[in-house]
Amino acid sequence: MAEFSEPNELIAAVRRAREAGYRQLDAYTPYPIEEVSEALGFHHNRLPLLVLIGGILGGLGGYGLQYWASVIEYPINVGGRPFHSWVSFIPITFECTVLVAALTAVLGMLALNGLPMPYHPVFNVPRFALATRDRFFLCIEGTDPLFDRDTTRRFLERQVPRSISEVEH
Amino acid sequence: MSQDSRPESRTAPIIGPGHTFGSVTDKISAVVLTGKTPRWWFVGFAISFSLLMLFLYSVAYLLTEGIGIWGVNIPVGWGFDIINFVWWIGIGHAGTLISAILLLLRQEWRTSINRFAEAMTLFAVACAGMFPLLHLGRPWLFYWLLPYPNTMGVWPQFRSPLIWDVFAVSTYAIVSLMFWFVGLIPDLATLRDRSPNRAGRFIYGMLAMGWRGSATHWHRYETAYLLLAGLSTPLVVSVHTIVSFDFAVGVTPGWHATIFPPYFVAGAIYAGFAMVMTLAIPLRKAYGLEDFITARHLDYMGRVMLATGLIVAYGYMMEAFMAWYSANPYEQFMITNRFFGPYAQMYWSLLVCNVVVPQLLWFRKVRATVPLLFVICLFVNVGMWLERFIIVVTSLHRDFLPSSWGMYHGTIWDWTTFIGTIGLFLSLLFLFLRFLPMISIFEMRTLVPEAEVKEGVL
């Protein structure tokens, strides 16, 4: 794992690592940088689709609940108004859509990211605490087919990082 | 390699000059972690907490005696509880507006105020929720409002705006809470890594859920955050629209108006920005955050207040115009009664607070004079409360039949409950300031000049 003090250095290092053929790598930054995930080759994101599905299910569920309760299960005749008074069902349908979509967005993000995960090997590196302050880290994982303790270390050294550490597993 | 030796290529205008990733992080997290709790915090918290105790006392008395201790009666069955409910809910709206709509519009100046504006939203919604619950008379049966299969075989009346309120406000509370918490996760991780003691590391660590700033995580995180903002934007508009339906769907003169939804939404933003400023001005002074919450922020918020204030003024005008234009004798009487009736004093004070005084915001000089801005915000806070009082009380106390007219005054218990919720709000706010970063740290980092990604270096 290599430590950098500038976003530009990290992006350059990530690109060179990809060029060198490394695939199992991850970058850690103190704030979101679009270019880093691009350099890592991470494009696909299933979250928007999930949220869309959640919203549609929420809306159908909300409307269905109202329809079932006011038309089938417990119809009340108030001043001759139709049982299926769809106009007055709109506000709750809308709220249910937003609620389920928002829940999907948050829970989906956490689930796809594999959080909560209080323990992770990268936390074993003492300097890693700076990743949430002002440092940028590139980690080449041991599961990478190209990974070799010495060559990988030499590769990282060529990127002129501030420091290199080995992640205890 | 050191950052500090690099010449400043560009000074971001919405953050004081000379800040680096580290200095931003340290400054904000120091308030929570290492800074000594200032004396005024204890004084402020003690005052707020005693007001909170007053609230608990009032509620305990309410539960033993019933809502007869309040001033509500026939004909005015909706008194302080609905006034305060609408007032508090409105205050919450600025928080969501700042964090969601301004995020979608890529207004970077929102960054230093959004966190505590969102906190304000949550606490205001909590205060707002108290009133309809207590108004139920038997608050412990509140769950009857929710649609759940029960042995009574009865469902809520889905055609009623009051049940729409239940859905709107609870959805709003849940989504605001999630939006706030998602925004906090990376900052909780910062606090975990910088906390000097074990307890802090453990608690913040549990809350951060193992956030480690991985690039793929950030990617999904940003998507989720943007989607939440996109969902909150129509939500916040719908909530106050539905609150206005509580009135507008009824046939009571003065309530049955199509202007109500937009007029309520504008009023909510107006009241909310006034409250954000009322809180931000003393806070930036107390914590020395003038380089994060700059004069430019105050200027912009003043402009938003001016714009929404004018929409609200238009709403007042339309109410009077429609009463005249509709040629409906009840509507016309309602307006005459509002202007010259027993509550005329409150109506004219409302116009002074909400329409006349804020016109000062037209002047750049006024928007740059912080104490004056603070006073204007206090006026608006009071004015918006008076507006809800006028809407609720003047329409109800003299409606169609002169034989059923009456007067309404809040009793001492109405006032203690209202002031008590202010205590609840401030207590929560003080605890928030002490234990969580009041400014979004990771978003402030993106404003630092070094955060700029240069394609040339690669």
Side-chain angles (χ1 to χ4, degrees):
Chain A
M1 173 184 274
E3 173 192 351
F4 300 93
S5 55
E6 270 224 48
N8 296 309
E9 293 167 5
L10 173 70
I11 296 168
V14 171
R15 289 199 184 151
R16 272 184 232 119
R18 294 274 302 176
E19 276 161 22
Y22 289 107
R23 287 294 173 269
Q24 298 292 316
L25 55 155
D26 206 348
Y28 300 91
T29 54
Y31 62 92
I33 308 173
E34 215 175 304
E35 287 82 356
V36 175
S37 49
E38 246 169 53
L40 280 171
F42 181 76
H43 296 290
H44 295 292
N45 193 341
R46 279 173 303 162
L47 200 54
L49 182 66
L50 283 180
V51 172
L52 177 70
I53 295 171
I56 291 171
L57 287 180
L60 290 178
Y63 196 90
L65 168 78
Q66 296 177 80
Y67 183 85
W68 189 74
S70 348
V71 181
I72 299 167
E73 166 75 356
Y74 197 73
I76 313 172
N77 188 335
V78 184
R81 286 182 188 83
F83 292 133
H84 181 207
S85 28
W86 65 271
V87 181
S88 22
F89 296 166
I90 296 299
I92 294 183
T93 308
F94 174 77
E95 299 299 333
C96 290
T97 310
V98 171
L99 180 64
V100 179
L103 282 170
T104 319
V106 175
L107 299 179
M109 182 270 284
L110 293 178
L112 290 176
N113 281 349
L115 299 173
M117 186 193 281
Y119 172 77
H120 192 274
V122 290
F123 291 126
N124 292 334
V125 177
R127 294 190 65 83
F128 187 71
L130 291 172
T132 56
R133 182 169 181 264
D134 57 353
R135 295 294 151 73
F136 303 80
F137 289 86
L138 168 64
C139 183
I140 298 181
E141 285 163 22
T143 50
D144 194 285
L146 283 183
F147 184 84
D148 175 84
R149 195 160 291 214
D150 299 320
T151 49
T152 305
R153 190 179 189 93
R154 275 199 297 280
F155 169 77
L156 286 177
E157 267 161 12
R158 277 201 301 280
Q159 314 305 320
V160 241
R162 269 180 92 107
S163 73
I164 293 181
S165 12
E166 209 165 299
V167 181
E168 304 264 331
H169 200 63
Chain B
M1 201 87 126
S2 158
Q3 319 231 320
D4 309 317
S5 61
R6 233 162 39 95
E8 293 287 341
S9 52
R10 185 181 66 117
T11 310
I14 32 194
I15 180 171
H19 274 297
T20 60
F21 299 127
S23 73
V24 167
T25 311
D26 294 344
K27 186 160 185 184
I28 303 173
S29 58
V31 173
V32 177
L33 294 176
T34 47
K36 215 164 99 34
T37 311
R39 182 166 299 168
W40 62 262
W41 188 91
F42 288 105
V43 176
F45 185 68
I47 295 171
S48 320
F49 196 70
S50 28
L51 290 179
L52 175 61
M53 289 299 111
L54 181 70
F55 176 68
L56 292 185
Y57 184 76
S58 317
V59 170
Y61 189 60
L62 178 83
L63 293 184
T64 54
E65 293 292 312
I67 58 169
I69 64 166
W70 288 348
V72 284
N73 212 327
I74 302 303
V76 183
W78 277 6
F80 264 49
D81 19 11
I82 303 301
I83 298 167
N84 297 336
F85 164 67
V86 182
W87 190 70
W88 274 122
I89 271 277
I91 283 175
H93 279 43
T96 322
L97 185 96
I98 289 174
S99 42
I101 300 185
L102 296 184
L103 175 74
L104 293 181
L105 296 177
R106 309 231 173 254
Q107 296 291 314
E108 285 186 335
W109 61 276
R110 75 182 254 293
T111 300
S112 51
I113 44 176
N114 70 332
R115 169 68 45 74
F116 96 99
E118 283 164 34
M120 192 190 80
T121 296
L122 277 181
F123 306 152
V125 171
C127 292
M130 295 289 161
F131 288 101
L133 283 181
L134 294 174
H135 188 106
L136 291 174
R138 289 188 284 168
W140 50 93
L141 297 179
F142 77 95
Y143 60 89
W144 286 10
L145 291 164
L146 303 173
Y148 69 104
N150 56 56
T151 50
M152 297 176 283
V154 183
W155 290 91
Q157 173 55 280
F158 289 117
R159 297 176 193 92
S160 160
L162 298 180
I163 207 77
W164 303 348
D165 250 6
V166 174
F167 275 85
V169 174
S170 50
T171 300
Y172 186 47
I174 295 170
V175 173
S176 306
L177 180 67
M178 290 196 300
F179 197 57
W180 184 67
F181 184 70
V182 167
L184 265 174
I185 293 173
D187 288 358
L188 288 167
T190 298
L191 292 179
R192 168 197 66 202
D193 291 342
R194 302 188 48 72
S195 184
N197 54 51
R198 255 187 98 77
R201 274 197 297 276
F202 180 75
I203 295 169
Y204 290 124
M206 279 296 139
L207 288 171
M209 298 188 294
W211 182 264
R212 50 188 189 274
S214 154
T216 48
H217 287 189
W218 275 122
H219 190 79
R220 290 197 193 97
Y221 177 89
E222 288 255 280
T223 314
Y225 202 63
L226 270 179
L227 285 170
L228 271 183
L231 290 165
S232 312
T233 304
L235 177 68
V236 71
V237 174
S238 84
V239 170
H240 229 62
T241 301
I242 290 176
V243 168
S244 84
F245 285 162
D246 291 348
F247 300 94
V249 172
V251 293
T252 313
W255 287 4
H256 197 53
T258 47
I259 189 81
F260 261 37
Y263 157 60
F264 266 53
V265 172
I269 297 165
Y270 190 38
F273 268 84
M275 189 56 101
V276 172
M277 286 234 259
T278 313
L279 300 175
I281 289 172
L283 281 182
R284 73 199 274 271
K285 190 93 197 142
Y287 284 113
L289 295 172
E290 277 96 343
D291 43 353
F292 292 160
I293 304 174
T294 59
R296 190 163 149 207
H297 290 100
L298 299 180
D299 182 49
Y300 282 6
M301 286 198 275
R303 290 186 205 189
V304 174
M305 269 175 64
L306 182 62
T308 46
L310 289 175
I311 303 177
V312 170
Y314 174 80
Y316 299 148
M317 212 172 69
M318 270 304 121
E319 282 189 302
F321 173 76
M322 286 316 291
W324 169 73
Y325 192 68
S326 67
N328 179 328
Y330 299 107
E331 288 283 340
Q332 285 172 349
F333 172 75
M334 185 278 302
I335 282 290
T336 331
N337 183 44
R338 202 180 262 188
F339 286 172
F340 307 111
Y343 295 109
Q345 252 181 341
M346 302 193 80
Y347 187 68
W348 296 109
S349 342
L350 147 71
L351 289 187
V352 169
C353 290
N354 269 2
V355 181
V356 180
V357 174
Q359 298 311 315
L360 286 173
L361 293 171
W362 283 102
F363 301 102
R364 191 178 292 272
K365 255 213 166 76
V366 173
R367 293 199 303 267
T369 317
V370 177
L372 195 56
L373 214 47
F374 186 67
V375 173
I376 294 175
C377 292
L378 290 182
F379 265 98
V380 174
N381 283 328
V382 174
M384 288 310 292
W385 191 85
L386 286 173
E387 178 192 309
R388 276 68 190 243
F389 183 91
I390 289 290
I391 290 174
V392 170
V393 177
T394 53
S395 287
L396 281 178
H397 93 125
R398 290 183 174 175
D399 58 2
F400 304 99
L401 276 181
S403 61
S404 60
W405 287 0
M407 287 296 285
Y408 170 81
H409 294 290
T411 63
I412 178 84
W413 296 107
D414 280 309
W415 284 106
T416 52
T417 316
F418 175 46
I419 294 169
T421 47
I422 296 180
L424 170 65
F425 179 78
L426 290 178
S427 306
L428 289 169
L429 195 74
F430 274 112
L431 290 175
F432 162 71
L433 290 178
R434 180 65 192 83
F435 293 110
L436 290 171
M438 73 181 109
I439 294 177
S440 175
I441 306 175
F442 84 91
E443 284 180 306
M444 287 308 280
R445 287 189 198 117
T446 62
L447 298 183
V448 170
E450 292 139 23
E452 214 180 342
V453 174
K454 291 180 289 289
E455 285 300 313
V457 298
L458 305 177

